[in-house]
Amino acid sequence: TSSQFSKSPISAVDSARIEAENIIRERYPRLWVARYLFRSREGSRFDFSNRHFLVDIYKDKSQYIVIQKASQVGITECMLAEMYAMAGGGCNGMYVLPTNMTVYDFTPRRIDIVLSQSPDLRSYLGVKEAKHSDTKSQKTFCGKDWSIVGSNAVTNFYEKPVDCIIIDELDKCNV
């Protein structure tokens, strides 16, 4: 006798979960990237349970967002999620750090390692392997160019057409 397998229908709970994820993706792309694609350096999902205050920041749709904060509260992850979401939305951009030396430390520790831990994020961004995602100061995500630059060299800002600029540690930057 032959067995016939049929695909079981999606449960109401799964259907509601998928619908909720799609609504978040459409309304709050930064939150969607963080919640569903982003993995920490250790490989775990981004967790808002001990940082509820971040949810409103992730949902903020303002053109300009300025955050005055203490260190190590998760805002850099938010800015990286914004970079990935903006690239997914078709934007070229620039991620500005205080110095060129900061870029060379930041990129492997905050971008490349997260990409290596986040297969769903790599797939979304069109990055095959984290190690081969361009250079420390230039990345291509979703076919869009992103420059990671130090604010201490004026030449970092020449000939780089961008739709979005993200400035991390503004108080330490020369902008």
Side-chain angles (χ1 to χ4, degrees):
T1 61
S2 64
S3 299
Q4 188 174 20
F5 294 98
S6 64
K7 198 173 190 179
S8 60
I10 296 176
S11 73
V13 171
D14 287 340
S15 179
R17 183 185 49 76
I18 292 167
E19 185 177 338
E21 180 181 338
N22 287 334
I23 289 169
I24 292 169
R25 182 179 186 169
E26 183 181 312
R27 291 185 188 167
Y28 310 112
R30 181 183 330 130
L31 179 62
W32 177 77
V33 166
R35 178 69 184 93
Y36 295 99
L37 304 179
F38 201 91
R39 298 282 182 139
S40 71
R41 292 177 280 191
E42 296 79 30
S44 59
R45 292 238 179 241
F46 194 81
D47 182 15
F48 290 97
S49 64
N50 63 344
R51 296 177 180 178
H52 295 286
F53 65 92
L54 286 175
V55 174
D56 288 336
I57 295 170
Y58 273 84
K59 287 177 159 182
D60 193 323
K61 294 182 176 187
S62 303
Q63 184 175 2
Y64 301 102
I65 299 173
V66 178
I67 302 166
Q68 187 172 1
K69 58 158 193 84
S71 63
Q72 303 300 314
V73 295
I75 296 300
T76 295
E77 286 78 8
C78 182
M79 289 190 282
L80 289 172
E82 176 70 2
M83 177 175 69
Y84 302 139
M86 293 298 289
C91 295
N92 294 303
M94 183 177 290
Y95 195 106
V96 181
L97 293 160
T99 67
N100 286 335
M101 290 304 296
T102 311
V103 170
Y104 290 101
D105 185 44
F106 178 87
T107 302
R109 289 185 321 105
R110 301 307 286 271
I111 296 174
D112 294 340
I113 198 163
V114 167
L115 288 173
S116 73
Q117 295 293 331
S118 307
D120 293 336
L121 180 61
R122 280 195 315 274
S123 176
Y124 169 73
L125 296 173
V127 175
K128 290 182 176 40
E129 295 179 38
K131 288 183 180 179
H132 294 76
S133 67
D134 307 308
T135 67
K136 289 182 182 177
S137 62
Q138 183 67 38
K139 301 287 185 186
T140 301
F141 302 128
C142 301
K144 297 299 172 183
D145 293 324
W146 277 80
S147 299
I148 296 89
V149 301
S151 70
N152 61 324
V154 175
T155 56
N156 286 339
F157 299 92
Y158 294 163
E159 298 297 323
K160 291 187 172 83
V162 298
D163 306 302
C164 176
I165 297 176
I166 298 171
I167 304 173
D168 198 345
E169 299 191 40
L170 176 64
D171 59 322
K172 296 178 184 172
C173 287
N174 297 333
V175 288

PDB file of all heavy atoms in Angstrom, residues 76-98:
ATOM      1  N   THR A  76      23.096  50.516  20.355  1.00  0.00           N
ATOM      2  CA  THR A  76      23.873  50.194  19.158  1.00  0.00           C
ATOM      3  C   THR A  76      23.186  49.100  18.362  1.00  0.00           C
ATOM      4  O   THR A  76      23.116  49.165  17.132  1.00  0.00           O
ATOM      5  CB  THR A  76      25.318  49.800  19.528  1.00  0.00           C
ATOM      6  OG1 THR A  76      25.970  50.939  20.107  1.00  0.00           O
ATOM      7  CG2 THR A  76      26.104  49.353  18.301  1.00  0.00           C
ATOM      8  N   GLU A  77      22.640  48.103  19.034  1.00  0.00           N
ATOM      9  CA  GLU A  77      21.892  47.055  18.336  1.00  0.00           C
ATOM     10  C   GLU A  77      20.695  47.663  17.605  1.00  0.00           C
ATOM     11  O   GLU A  77      20.359  47.261  16.502  1.00  0.00           O
ATOM     12  CB  GLU A  77      21.438  45.959  19.294  1.00  0.00           C
ATOM     13  CG  GLU A  77      22.539  45.043  19.758  1.00  0.00           C
ATOM     14  CD  GLU A  77      23.431  45.629  20.854  1.00  0.00           C
ATOM     15  OE1 GLU A  77      23.112  46.727  21.379  1.00  0.00           O
ATOM     16  OE2 GLU A  77      24.438  44.996  21.181  1.00  0.00           O
ATOM     17  N   CYS A  78      20.052  48.638  18.230  1.00  0.00           N
ATOM     18  CA  CYS A  78      18.923  49.330  17.606  1.00  0.00           C
ATOM     19  C   CYS A  78      19.386  50.049  16.340  1.00  0.00           C
ATOM     20  O   CYS A  78      18.711  49.996  15.299  1.00  0.00           O
ATOM     21  CB  CYS A  78      18.301  50.311  18.596  1.00  0.00           C
ATOM     22  SG  CYS A  78      16.871  51.201  17.972  1.00  0.00           S
ATOM     23  N   MET A  79      20.521  50.712  16.410  1.00  0.00           N
ATOM     24  CA  MET A  79      21.036  51.432  15.249  1.00  0.00           C
ATOM     25  C   MET A  79      21.455  50.467  14.141  1.00  0.00           C
ATOM     26  O   MET A  79      21.259  50.750  12.955  1.00  0.00           O
ATOM     27  CB  MET A  79      22.170  52.360  15.659  1.00  0.00           C
ATOM     28  CG  MET A  79      21.652  53.541  16.474  1.00  0.00           C
ATOM     29  SD  MET A  79      22.868  54.827  16.759  1.00  0.00           S
ATOM     30  CE  MET A  79      23.822  54.088  18.059  1.00  0.00           C
ATOM     31  N   LEU A  80      22.003  49.322  14.524  1.00  0.00           N
ATOM     32  CA  LEU A  80      22.347  48.322  13.512  1.00  0.00           C
ATOM     33  C   LEU A  80      21.085  47.756  12.872  1.00  0.00           C
ATOM     34  O   LEU A  80      21.033  47.559  11.654  1.00  0.00           O
ATOM     35  CB  LEU A  80      23.190  47.200  14.131  1.00  0.00           C
ATOM     36  CG  LEU A  80      24.609  47.600  14.515  1.00  0.00           C
ATOM     37  CD1 LEU A  80      25.288  46.480  15.291  1.00  0.00           C
ATOM     38  CD2 LEU A  80      25.422  47.983  13.291  1.00  0.00           C
ATOM     39  N   ALA A  81      20.059  47.507  13.686  1.00  0.00           N
ATOM     40  CA  ALA A  81      18.782  47.037  13.134  1.00  0.00           C
ATOM     41  C   ALA A  81      18.215  48.076  12.169  1.00  0.00           C
ATOM     42  O   ALA A  81      17.648  47.731  11.126  1.00  0.00           O
ATOM     43  CB  ALA A  81      17.795  46.734  14.258  1.00  0.00           C
ATOM     44  N   GLU A  82      18.376  49.363  12.504  1.00  0.00           N
ATOM     45  CA  GLU A  82      17.937  50.440  11.606  1.00  0.00           C
ATOM     46  C   GLU A  82      18.715  50.389  10.295  1.00  0.00           C
ATOM     47  O   GLU A  82      18.132  50.531   9.218  1.00  0.00           O
ATOM     48  CB  GLU A  82      18.123  51.805  12.276  1.00  0.00           C
ATOM     49  CG  GLU A  82      17.792  52.980  11.397  1.00  0.00           C
ATOM     50  CD  GLU A  82      16.304  53.144  11.100  1.00  0.00           C
ATOM     51  OE1 GLU A  82      15.475  52.366  11.608  1.00  0.00           O
ATOM     52  OE2 GLU A  82      15.968  54.056  10.331  1.00  0.00           O
ATOM     53  N   MET A  83      20.017  50.183  10.373  1.00  0.00           N
ATOM     54  CA  MET A  83      20.839  50.093   9.170  1.00  0.00           C
ATOM     55  C   MET A  83      20.346  48.951   8.289  1.00  0.00           C
ATOM     56  O   MET A  83      20.147  49.133   7.079  1.00  0.00           O
ATOM     57  CB  MET A  83      22.310  49.884   9.548  1.00  0.00           C
ATOM     58  CG  MET A  83      23.232  49.703   8.349  1.00  0.00           C
ATOM     59  SD  MET A  83      24.983  49.599   8.777  1.00  0.00           S
ATOM     60  CE  MET A  83      25.063  48.017   9.610  1.00  0.00           C
ATOM     61  N   TYR A  84      20.115  47.778   8.882  1.00  0.00           N
ATOM     62  CA  TYR A  84      19.660  46.627   8.109  1.00  0.00           C
ATOM     63  C   TYR A  84      18.264  46.866   7.529  1.00  0.00           C
ATOM     64  O   TYR A  84      17.996  46.532   6.377  1.00  0.00           O
ATOM     65  CB  TYR A  84      19.663  45.366   8.967  1.00  0.00           C
ATOM     66  CG  TYR A  84      21.018  45.037   9.568  1.00  0.00           C
ATOM     67  CD1 TYR A  84      21.125  44.597  10.871  1.00  0.00           C
ATOM     68  CD2 TYR A  84      22.192  45.180   8.832  1.00  0.00           C
ATOM     69  CE1 TYR A  84      22.359  44.296  11.435  1.00  0.00           C
ATOM     70  CE2 TYR A  84      23.433  44.878   9.382  1.00  0.00           C
ATOM     71  CZ  TYR A  84      23.505  44.435  10.684  1.00  0.00           C
ATOM     72  OH  TYR A  84      24.723  44.131  11.235  1.00  0.00           O
ATOM     73  N   ALA A  85      17.375  47.455   8.316  1.00  0.00           N
ATOM     74  CA  ALA A  85      16.011  47.733   7.846  1.00  0.00           C
ATOM     75  C   ALA A  85      16.026  48.779   6.725  1.00  0.00           C
ATOM     76  O   ALA A  85      15.283  48.650   5.745  1.00  0.00           O
ATOM     77  CB  ALA A  85      15.130  48.200   9.005  1.00  0.00           C
ATOM     78  N   MET A  86      16.857  49.803   6.858  1.00  0.00           N
ATOM     79  CA  MET A  86      16.951  50.828   5.815  1.00  0.00           C
ATOM     80  C   MET A  86      17.508  50.222   4.520  1.00  0.00           C
ATOM     81  O   MET A  86      17.023  50.538   3.437  1.00  0.00           O
ATOM     82  CB  MET A  86      17.820  51.993   6.277  1.00  0.00           C
ATOM     83  CG  MET A  86      17.227  52.806   7.411  1.00  0.00           C
ATOM     84  SD  MET A  86      15.678  53.616   7.007  1.00  0.00           S
ATOM     85  CE  MET A  86      16.235  54.884   5.903  1.00  0.00           C
ATOM     86  N   ALA A  87      18.503  49.364   4.630  1.00  0.00           N
ATOM     87  CA  ALA A  87      19.034  48.690   3.438  1.00  0.00           C
ATOM     88  C   ALA A  87      17.935  47.842   2.805  1.00  0.00           C
ATOM     89  O   ALA A  87      17.757  47.857   1.581  1.00  0.00           O
ATOM     90  CB  ALA A  87      20.244  47.835   3.807  1.00  0.00           C
ATOM     91  N   GLY A  88      17.180  47.124   3.632  1.00  0.00           N
ATOM     92  CA  GLY A  88      16.077  46.319   3.128  1.00  0.00           C
ATOM     93  C   GLY A  88      14.995  47.153   2.471  1.00  0.00           C
ATOM     94  O   GLY A  88      14.285  46.685   1.590  1.00  0.00           O
ATOM     95  N   GLY A  89      14.885  48.397   2.888  1.00  0.00           N
ATOM     96  CA  GLY A  89      13.924  49.323   2.296  1.00  0.00           C
ATOM     97  C   GLY A  89      14.466  50.053   1.078  1.00  0.00           C
ATOM     98  O   GLY A  89      13.802  50.942   0.537  1.00  0.00           O
ATOM     99  N   GLY A  90      15.691  49.722   0.664  1.00  0.00           N
ATOM    100  CA  GLY A  90      16.246  50.302  -0.560  1.00  0.00           C
ATOM    101  C   GLY A  90      17.141  51.509  -0.374  1.00  0.00           C
ATOM    102  O   GLY A  90      17.397  52.233  -1.329  1.00  0.00           O
ATOM    103  N   CYS A  91      17.642  51.730   0.843  1.00  0.00           N
ATOM    104  CA  CYS A  91      18.461  52.918   1.106  1.00  0.00           C
ATOM    105  C   CYS A  91      19.948  52.602   1.191  1.00  0.00           C
ATOM    106  O   CYS A  91      20.346  51.625   1.822  1.00  0.00           O
ATOM    107  CB  CYS A  91      18.030  53.558   2.421  1.00  0.00           C
ATOM    108  SG  CYS A  91      16.357  54.212   2.370  1.00  0.00           S
ATOM    109  N   ASN A  92      20.754  53.474   0.577  1.00  0.00           N
ATOM    110  CA  ASN A  92      22.197  53.492   0.794  1.00  0.00           C
ATOM    111  C   ASN A  92      22.426  54.331   2.040  1.00  0.00           C
ATOM    112  O   ASN A  92      21.640  55.239   2.326  1.00  0.00           O
ATOM    113  CB  ASN A  92      22.922  54.146  -0.384  1.00  0.00           C
ATOM    114  CG  ASN A  92      22.798  53.344  -1.651  1.00  0.00           C
ATOM    115  OD1 ASN A  92      23.159  52.181  -1.699  1.00  0.00           O
ATOM    116  ND2 ASN A  92      22.273  53.963  -2.695  1.00  0.00           N
ATOM    117  N   GLY A  93      23.496  54.067   2.773  1.00  0.00           N
ATOM    118  CA  GLY A  93      23.686  54.849   3.972  1.00  0.00           C
ATOM    119  C   GLY A  93      25.099  54.890   4.486  1.00  0.00           C
ATOM    120  O   GLY A  93      26.033  54.320   3.913  1.00  0.00           O
ATOM    121  N   MET A  94      25.217  55.590   5.596  1.00  0.00           N
ATOM    122  CA  MET A  94      26.503  55.766   6.261  1.00  0.00           C
ATOM    123  C   MET A  94      26.291  55.600   7.760  1.00  0.00           C
ATOM    124  O   MET A  94      25.370  56.172   8.336  1.00  0.00           O
ATOM    125  CB  MET A  94      27.046  57.164   5.955  1.00  0.00           C
ATOM    126  CG  MET A  94      28.406  57.438   6.539  1.00  0.00           C
ATOM    127  SD  MET A  94      29.015  59.090   6.068  1.00  0.00           S
ATOM    128  CE  MET A  94      29.316  58.848   4.325  1.00  0.00           C
ATOM    129  N   TYR A  95      27.147  54.783   8.377  1.00  0.00           N
ATOM    130  CA  TYR A  95      27.146  54.578   9.819  1.00  0.00           C
ATOM    131  C   TYR A  95      28.417  55.249  10.328  1.00  0.00           C
ATOM    132  O   TYR A  95      29.521  54.842   9.978  1.00  0.00           O
ATOM    133  CB  TYR A  95      27.156  53.080  10.141  1.00  0.00           C
ATOM    134  CG  TYR A  95      26.806  52.746  11.560  1.00  0.00           C
ATOM    135  CD1 TYR A  95      25.567  52.193  11.866  1.00  0.00           C
ATOM    136  CD2 TYR A  95      27.698  52.977  12.609  1.00  0.00           C
ATOM    137  CE1 TYR A  95      25.235  51.867  13.179  1.00  0.00           C
ATOM    138  CE2 TYR A  95      27.366  52.668  13.908  1.00  0.00           C
ATOM    139  CZ  TYR A  95      26.140  52.113  14.188  1.00  0.00           C
ATOM    140  OH  TYR A  95      25.807  51.796  15.491  1.00  0.00           O
ATOM    141  N   VAL A  96      28.249  56.310  11.108  1.00  0.00           N
ATOM    142  CA  VAL A  96      29.384  57.136  11.530  1.00  0.00           C
ATOM    143  C   VAL A  96      29.757  56.810  12.975  1.00  0.00           C
ATOM    144  O   VAL A  96      28.900  56.799  13.873  1.00  0.00           O
ATOM    145  CB  VAL A  96      29.046  58.643  11.401  1.00  0.00           C
ATOM    146  CG1 VAL A  96      30.239  59.493  11.827  1.00  0.00           C
ATOM    147  CG2 VAL A  96      28.610  58.984   9.978  1.00  0.00           C
ATOM    148  N   LEU A  97      31.036  56.580  13.179  1.00  0.00           N
ATOM    149  CA  LEU A  97      31.613  56.333  14.501  1.00  0.00           C
ATOM    150  C   LEU A  97      32.639  57.427  14.796  1.00  0.00           C
ATOM    151  O   LEU A  97      33.026  58.168  13.879  1.00  0.00           O
ATOM    152  CB  LEU A  97      32.272  54.950  14.529  1.00  0.00           C
ATOM    153  CG  LEU A  97      31.296  53.776  14.403  1.00  0.00           C
ATOM    154  CD1 LEU A  97      32.014  52.519  13.941  1.00  0.00           C
ATOM    155  CD2 LEU A  97      30.592  53.538  15.722  1.00  0.00           C
ATOM    156  N   PRO A  98      33.106  57.553  16.025  1.00  0.00           N
ATOM    157  CA  PRO A  98      34.021  58.649  16.347  1.00  0.00           C
ATOM    158  C   PRO A  98      35.306  58.699  15.508  1.00  0.00           C
ATOM    159  O   PRO A  98      35.689  59.769  15.036  1.00  0.00           O
ATOM    160  CB  PRO A  98      34.340  58.426  17.826  1.00  0.00           C
ATOM    161  CG  PRO A  98      33.119  57.739  18.348  1.00  0.00           C
ATOM    162  CD  PRO A  98      32.677  56.843  17.229  1.00  0.00           C
TER     163      PRO A  98
END
